[in-house]
Amino acid sequence: VPRQHSTGGKQRLGATTKMGERSLRRLLIIGANSVIIERHVHAAARPGTWLGGMLTRKAPMLVRVALANKMARIVWALMARGGVYQSPAAAA
């Protein structure tokens, strides 16, 4: 889970730590890896997107962990608020 450092009403979420459920962390990274491996299929990994930009600037393993961290935050928000996931393309 991302560690939270908040002050003055502004939330700052840190990196995904190695604390917590090991198998869940591993599954998130495997899921992020599948998106990066099949990037020609996934619209989220095309140039001009957040993931596409990260892949051009950063090392692939670092991008996998960053994407897993992003997915963990989305999953946590959905579970905490009881929402249903809508992809950004469908919401726009």
Side-chain angles (χ1 to χ4, degrees):
V1 233
R3 181 170 289 183
Q4 185 174 354
H5 303 283
S6 301
T7 179
K10 184 171 185 175
Q11 271 191 334
R12 295 182 184 212
L13 296 176
T16 301
T17 62
K18 291 187 178 178
M19 295 168 56
E21 185 63 35
R22 184 177 184 182
S23 61
L24 181 61
R25 187 175 65 247
R26 183 177 296 145
L27 287 173
L28 283 167
I29 291 176
I30 289 170
N33 190 33
S34 70
V35 171
I36 291 173
I37 287 173
E38 298 291 328
R39 68 181 129 194
H40 61 279
V41 176
H42 295 281
R46 296 212 171 103
T49 60
W50 174 84
L51 186 56
M54 287 287 285
L55 285 168
T56 58
R57 292 190 312 268
K58 304 286 185 179
M61 188 60 197
L62 188 129
V63 177
R64 285 181 188 104
V65 173
L67 181 59
N69 190 3
K70 191 173 184 175
M71 290 189 316
R73 292 176 193 210
I74 291 170
V75 169
W76 176 85
L78 290 174
M79 290 175 60
R81 296 185 181 106
V84 176
Y85 180 73
Q86 295 177 354
S87 66

